[in-house]
Amino acid sequence: MFDRLGVSDNAPVVEVVAPNGGETWSGSEAIQWTASDQDGDDLSFTILYTPDGSSAWLPVASNLHGNSFAVDTSALPGGSAAKVRVVATDGFHTVYDDSDGTFTVATNPPKITTLLPEDGAMFGSGERIRLEAEATDIEDGAILDESFIWSFDS
């Protein structure tokens, strides 16, 4: 025996409420939208983001319910022509809406992870110490070893 899944006649409607252009974001910010479905279907949402208004969209969150999502902007590449896209689906029909205008997301400093020496390591006088780290920049990607500058404060 087969199950049947009815297909609704109407696509949902979604509209980005915030950010919608002109805002400056840093820290924790809320993406907000309104949505409806004439057939009363349950809706789920996916949020996409572009820092530069391009056609390259980065995933932020998926399988959301409700009408808002708090995002930590330190997890987003910064940019001065940012937009969000909210995608709505009723399980069959899929629609989306983008921010009407661009907004600014603060750039983030590089993230550095010290690999060696391990935290709390002890060394004797005159002992050679191996220094090793890796760094990434959410806007620019991996930072090359040649870019590291090591210093020591006693």
Side-chain angles (χ1 to χ4, degrees):
M1 179 163 294
F2 294 101
D3 283 334
R4 287 186 184 200
L5 177 62
V7 176
S8 61
D9 293 330
N10 301 291
V13 175
V14 65
E15 181 181 2
V16 173
V17 175
N20 224 8
E23 300 90 345
T24 298
W25 272 19
S26 66
S28 181
E29 296 285 350
I31 298 169
Q32 299 174 329
W33 61 91
T34 60
S36 61
D37 186 276
Q38 188 175 356
D39 305 308
D41 298 324
D42 287 332
L43 301 177
S44 65
F45 304 93
T46 297
I47 298 173
L48 305 173
Y49 167 80
T50 179
D52 56 11
S54 72
S55 59
W57 293 90
L58 305 170
V60 174
S62 63
N63 200 27
L64 299 173
H65 300 276
N67 61 359
S68 67
F69 179 78
V71 64
D72 177 1
T73 62
S74 70
L76 301 175
S80 59
K83 283 189 159 194
V84 296
R85 173 175 286 174
V86 176
V87 181
T89 184
D90 63 8
F92 183 76
H93 300 285
T94 301
V95 297
Y96 67 87
D97 186 47
D98 297 344
S99 305
D100 289 340
T102 61
F103 60 100
T104 299
V105 174
T107 57
N108 299 289
K111 293 189 179 177
I112 301 167
T113 304
T114 302
L115 304 173
L116 292 175
E118 293 180 11
D119 196 26
M122 303 286 286
F123 304 98
S125 178
E127 186 178 348
R128 294 184 124 211
I129 303 170
R130 180 176 166 88
L131 303 176
E132 190 174 322
E134 57 187 23
T136 58
D137 185 292
I138 197 163
E139 285 87 22
D140 300 322
I143 296 174
L144 301 175
D145 291 345
E146 303 83 53
S147 299
F148 282 77
I149 298 174
W150 294 91
S151 66
F152 174 74
D153 292 328
S154 55

